[in-house]
Amino acid sequence: KAGVTQTPRYLIKTRGQQVTLSCSPISGHRSVSWYQQTPGQGLQFLFEYFSETQRNKGNFPGRFSGRQFSNSRSEMNVSTLELGDSALYLCASSPRQGITEAFFGQGTRLTVV
Amino acid sequence: DAKTTQPTSMDCAEGRAANLPCNHSTISGNEYVYWYRQIHSQGPQYIIHGLKNNETNEMASLIITEDRKSSTLILPHATLRDTAVYYCIVRPTTISLGFYFGTGTSLTVIP
């Protein structure tokens, strides 16, 4: 079956703009998590959605938000972009919450100039 | 979540077994050990996870010590495509804040 699909793969934005990234989980998976990866901070957990509700959130400012739709697809939004938001944004899907492995997409490479 | 300690880097000859250690001395009874790897510029790939018994799948084996304070991921016959950063993560069975990835071990498989 198809893996986790993230779009777009690459994105260039200007400081102050906002951006929306999309994630389509593996069919049948209901949990979607988002991560930010930068060279300095490594992989950091942003938030997790299950059944259209945000269940957990990492230590990121309110400029980072997300949502999940009834078909489990998820979007994350970053408003008022800063140079430091340049990163690889990864989405992971799991069949459920709790004790389960997560399957990652290839990520969206965001560059803020 | 409990912290993990891994060597920064390791080399392994192609065709030999790669043994990647992980220390998680503060692990608690309800925490699982997960292993992921990340090949450059790709999303992390799930390898294996376990609680206290040794586990094996088509990719690797996971050996967890009896006291659960450390574990070893074994890639039985390393290939050049196994060159990646390997992350050892402990995660509670209850709902937690995602997976916390540390710095991992950069494994280089040498021809």
Side-chain angles (χ1 to χ4, degrees), chain A residues 45-103:
Chain A
F45 171 75
L46 279 157
F47 28 66
E48 177 184 9
Y49 286 86
F50 181 79
S51 294
E52 302 177 62
T53 302
Q54 187 180 93
R55 303 292 177 161
N56 295 298
K57 184 173 167 58
N59 189 25
F60 278 82
R63 298 185 298 107
F64 292 82
S65 64
R67 59 177 175 168
Q68 186 181 33
F69 302 95
S70 59
N71 62 358
S72 295
R73 191 176 71 82
S74 177
E75 289 180 347
M76 70 162 280
N77 184 279
V78 187
S79 62
T80 319
L81 283 166
E82 302 176 359
L83 296 179
D85 297 331
S86 295
L88 180 66
Y89 290 88
L90 291 156
C91 166
S93 81
S94 304
R96 59 194 179 281
Q97 288 183 294
I99 315 161
T100 177
E101 59 271 33
F103 298 90

Side-chain angles (χ1 to χ4, degrees), chain A residues 9 35 37 43 45 48 55-59 88 90 97-106 109, chain B residues 32 34 36 38 41-46 49 87 91-102:
Chain A
R9 289 293 311 277
Y35 294 77
Q37 185 171 30
L43 265 156
F45 171 75
E48 177 184 9
R55 303 292 177 161
N56 295 298
K57 184 173 167 58
N59 189 25
L88 180 66
L90 291 156
Q97 288 183 294
I99 315 161
T100 177
E101 59 271 33
F103 298 90
F104 285 79
Q106 293 303 298
R109 173 76 61 184
Chain B
Y32 276 68
Y34 284 79
Y36 279 79
Q38 187 174 27
S41 296
Q42 296 183 21
Q45 178 188 22
Y46 166 79
H49 74 280
Y87 297 96
R91 187 172 188 239
T93 57
T94 53
I95 296 169
S96 71
L97 295 176
F99 287 88
Y100 278 85
F101 291 78

Side-chain angles (χ1 to χ4, degrees), chain B residues 3 6 19 25 31 36 39 52-53 57 65 70 72-73 78 80 89-91 94-95 102-103 105:
Chain B
K3 285 196 65 171
Q6 299 177 251
N19 296 280
S25 57
E31 290 183 313
Y36 279 79
I39 297 168
K52 54 184 176 182
N53 298 319
N57 63 21
T65 58
S70 66
T72 302
L73 177 74
L80 298 179
I89 303 160
V90 294
R91 187 172 188 239
T94 53
I95 296 169
T103 53
T105 296

Side-chain angles (χ1 to χ4, degrees), chain B:
Chain B
D1 295 357
K3 285 196 65 171
T4 62
T5 304
Q6 299 177 251
T8 303
S9 63
M10 292 180 63
D11 293 337
C12 177
E14 188 178 18
R16 304 296 293 270
N19 296 280
L20 293 93
C22 179
N23 181 285
H24 31 78
S25 57
T26 60
I27 193 169
S28 57
N30 70 342
E31 290 183 313
Y32 276 68
V33 179
Y34 284 79
W35 283 84
Y36 279 79
R37 72 181 182 184
Q38 187 174 27
I39 297 168
H40 184 63
S41 296
Q42 296 183 21
Q45 178 188 22
Y46 166 79
I47 301 173
I48 199 167
H49 74 280
L51 183 62
K52 54 184 176 182
N53 298 319
N54 298 338
E55 302 287 344
T56 296
N57 63 21
E58 63 279 3
M59 286 184 68
S61 295
L62 173 60
I63 309 298
I64 303 174
T65 58
E66 194 169 337
D67 63 8
R68 304 208 324 121
K69 292 183 185 300
S70 66
S71 61
T72 302
L73 177 74
I74 301 172
L75 308 177
H77 305 287
T79 71
L80 298 179
R81 288 180 294 180
D82 292 322
T83 293
V85 177
Y86 288 76
Y87 297 96
C88 168
I89 303 160
V90 294
R91 187 172 188 239
T93 57
T94 53
I95 296 169
S96 71
L97 295 176
F99 287 88
Y100 278 85
F101 291 78
T103 53
T105 296
S106 178
L107 174 70
T108 302
V109 180
I110 302 168

